[in-house]
Amino acid sequence: MHALDLLGDPVRRRIVELLADGERSAGEVGEVVQREFGISQPGVSQHLRVLREAGFATVRAEGTRRLYALDPEPIAEAARWFTPFERFWEPRLDALGTELARSKRQRRLAAEAASAGGPPDPPDDDGGPRTRDSEMKET
């Protein structure tokens, strides 16, 4: 089963999220999944079995408990599958990061100007405050 097929099921995705935080007993996983999805313990066990058989999860016995852990390799395989498509969202994420940094800088400069008692300098062409150097460039 391909990693994306396996993760297409919301219950299995949630189990993977839970296991990403560290090893958990089948009972702990069951409590969360039963509460959130309203499925039975045998249903949860079936999803855990699918994850285990697909190599996404490992299980070890500790007394009467079964402890499940995430195997990172299938997750890495899914991430590698997305690599060729990153070009579609990376430029947008980079632009978002630039805008967030610019906005944060403008808020910081406005707060500094307010604490100094004066109005903030008007922004120059790149969104930053006008400085003597930027005024000299315009002349």
Side-chain angles (χ1 to χ4, degrees), residues 13-82:
R13 265 196 322 271
R14 181 62 175 125
I15 292 171
V16 167
E17 289 170 357
L18 293 168
L19 297 178
D21 290 335
E23 189 176 62
R24 290 184 181 244
S25 72
E28 290 175 305
V29 171
E31 286 176 20
V32 173
V33 172
Q34 286 175 314
R35 183 178 63 247
E36 292 179 4
F37 292 92
I39 64 174
S40 66
Q41 180 59 43
V44 175
S45 295
Q46 179 67 25
H47 284 290
L48 286 168
R49 184 175 68 80
V50 169
L51 288 168
R52 189 178 67 247
E53 289 176 356
F56 272 75
T58 60
V59 64
R60 70 179 181 87
E62 186 178 87
T64 59
R65 294 174 10 140
R66 298 292 172 258
L67 299 172
Y68 285 82
L70 193 61
D71 184 339
E73 183 51 37
I75 302 295
E77 177 187 325
R80 284 190 296 273
W81 186 89
F82 279 106

Side-chain angles (χ1 to χ4, degrees), residues 101-112:
R102 181 176 290 141
S103 175
K104 182 178 178 180
R105 181 173 184 259
Q106 287 175 338
R107 286 192 309 272
R108 179 182 51 82
L109 292 171
E112 288 173 2

